[in-house]
Amino acid sequence: MSDDIRRWSDELARDPSSLVFLQLSEALRRQGQVEMALKIALRGLERHQRNADAHDLVARIAVDRRDFQRAFDEWETVLRLAPQHVGAMKGLGYVSFQQGRFDDAEKYLAKAAAGGAGAAVTNALETVRRSSGSFGEASLPAEENGSAPSTGSRGADLNDLFADLLLDDGQTALLLDASGYVMAGVYLDGDARDVSQDVGAQLSGISEEVRRSTRHLDIGAWKSITFETHAAVVAMAPSADDTLVVVAASRATPLGLLRRLLDRCAERAGDWLAHGGGGRQ
Amino acid sequence: MTSPFTPLLESLTRQRGVRASLIVSESDGLVVDANLRFGQDGERVAALAASMYRKARLSATAAHLGAVAFLQLDAERGRICAVGGRGELVIVVVADPAANVGLIRVELLKALETLA
């Protein structure tokens, strides 16, 4: 990757109007060098103002920087330039969801799904519909007789999927779909604010990096990742249908206890998904 | 060839189940020093472990969880543990799935103090 970055940098230095700025900026963004990626993307955009991919790139960088309004504006520009751009529809759906505008999120994600965006967008759309309470009766799974948590009926509180497994108020658990959207569970911060979406979106990015690492190191499929931070201990594990279970607890929680919590939540998530949770038939 | 980090790495690799220990630069994934078993690709391990640690650090910071002190990845055929947060360097251990991670964690945190 660093060889590619060097090569693209050299090419851009030789020809500042080259479109290689797109690849260079994207590579830097993936490496976490967001500010440098933005600088290069904006310089490229000055020369290629009608390039939809350039606006799309700036939008994605804006999301990394949590500048959702900028991201929204850029993706709207993408759609003006390329009305069928599925990435922009997905992005607008994501930003609208972040901003609590569920109707708009549903509208954009539905367009993306109609444009062939794939299973991740379909799952995201279901999540939005659940969040906005607009899930139709016919699409809900039948409830099993006590063999699964009663989350299959209209009005069920998906926030509580893991509630009985958590030992104290400092513990939290989330089930995320492949796009990093929250499917179930809740994450409250120290001020009791629901920050599930933010935290879920940020932490879900780690799983892609982990998958890449285990593949290249040939150590088999990943089973879990655990990390201690100054504020919390966090553990994550993959679950069915490309979902991700995330549990977090206060810093004082023993790691062994956290791992047991993760195992139980992963089992609960697997049962829930197998019994039709998330809208599966 | 010995470096100032050699005793630290030897101490880690002596732990049962440890296949490799490395000190890597987080920003570019380059090996600073390594103690590897025969056949281990230190550069690949360093690059990927640094990348994963950095991703975890950036994600945790963005989620307002603070700096990452210890990270453990469990996979079917191995596990990777890493500590960092003191400057640019990350200490990485590659171990067998059955290795005692509790002991490895204690040794890694001790090693991190030495680096500081």
Side-chain angles (χ1 to χ4, degrees), chain A residues 31-32 187 202 205-206 209-210 212-214 216-231 234 255 259, chain B residues 19 44-45 48 51-52 54-56 58-60 62-63 65-78 80 105:
Chain A
Q31 275 201 345
Y187 192 118
Q202 293 300 337
I206 299 174
E209 194 64 36
V210 166
R212 192 171 77 96
S213 296
T214 52
H216 287 294
L217 290 173
D218 195 27
I219 53 174
W222 75 288
K223 298 195 293 185
S224 69
I225 185 167
T226 307
F227 53 94
E228 295 176 61
T229 74
H230 286 171
V234 181
L255 288 180
R259 292 294 299 275
Chain B
R19 301 174 192 166
R44 179 179 287 207
V45 171
L48 291 166
S51 179
M52 189 173 61
R54 184 172 59 244
K55 183 64 183 176
L58 292 172
S59 300
L65 295 175
V68 174
F70 171 77
L71 178 148
Q72 173 189 337
L73 164 66
D74 290 324
E76 284 172 350
R77 295 193 296 276
I80 296 176
R105 175 177 169 276

Side-chain angles (χ1 to χ4, degrees), chain A residues 15-270:
Chain A
D15 178 10
S17 64
S18 166
L19 284 173
V20 80
F21 80 89
L22 292 167
Q23 290 150 291
L24 176 58
S25 176
E26 178 64 26
L28 290 167
R29 185 183 81 86
R30 284 175 193 262
Q31 275 201 345
Q33 296 187 54
V34 173
E35 296 307 316
M36 181 60 75
L38 179 64
K39 199 165 142 185
I40 288 174
L42 289 176
R43 247 189 245 151
L45 196 55
E46 279 171 20
R47 294 174 183 269
H48 300 279
Q49 289 176 18
R50 298 198 58 76
N51 186 304
D53 289 339
H55 286 281
D56 177 60
L57 175 59
V58 172
R60 284 184 284 111
I61 295 171
V63 167
D64 290 344
R65 299 174 82 239
R66 319 290 296 158
D67 185 354
F68 292 126
Q69 192 51 52
R70 177 74 191 258
F72 191 89
D73 294 340
E74 290 295 337
W75 271 318
E76 281 204 310
T77 303
V78 172
L79 284 186
R80 280 198 294 276
L81 294 168
Q84 304 307 316
H85 198 288
V86 168
M89 293 176 206
K90 279 162 57 174
L92 286 167
Y94 172 74
V95 171
S96 298
F97 187 80
Q98 289 290 318
Q99 295 174 334
R101 295 182 284 116
F102 297 129
D103 288 344
D104 288 345
E106 187 175 346
K107 178 183 85 185
Y108 289 119
L109 289 174
K111 276 191 197 159
V121 168
T122 309
N123 288 340
L125 188 53
E126 285 167 4
T127 303
V128 168
R129 284 173 174 156
R130 270 201 307 278
S131 298
S132 64
S134 64
F135 228 3
E137 191 86 73
S139 57
L140 289 172
E143 193 168 353
E144 298 287 313
N145 291 330
S147 58
S150 56
T151 52
S153 54
R154 180 188 277 282
D157 191 357
L158 293 168
N159 287 354
D160 292 336
L161 179 63
F162 305 108
D164 61 311
L165 301 176
L166 305 177
L167 300 175
D168 62 48
D169 287 346
Q171 294 176 352
T172 189
L174 294 174
L175 177 65
L176 307 174
D177 69 9
S179 302
Y181 287 113
V182 176
M183 296 178 77
V186 67
Y187 192 118
L188 302 178
D189 69 4
D191 297 321
R193 286 175 309 181
D194 184 348
V195 293
S196 308
Q197 289 300 333
D198 280 358
V199 171
Q202 293 300 337
L203 294 183
S204 70
I206 299 174
S207 64
E208 197 45 52
E209 194 64 36
V210 166
R211 222 171 280 143
R212 192 171 77 96
S213 296
T214 52
R215 192 170 64 238
H216 287 294
L217 290 173
D218 195 27
I219 53 174
W222 75 288
K223 298 195 293 185
S224 69
I225 185 167
T226 307
F227 53 94
E228 295 176 61
T229 74
H230 286 171
V233 287
V234 181
M236 304 192 291
S239 191
D241 299 338
D242 250 353
T243 57
L244 187 67
V245 176
V246 179
V247 300
S250 70
R251 187 72 173 78
T253 305
L255 288 180
L257 183 61
L258 186 75
R259 292 294 299 275
R260 285 177 67 84
L261 180 61
L262 178 69
D263 290 343
R264 290 192 181 134
C265 289
E267 193 182 333
R268 174 67 57 83

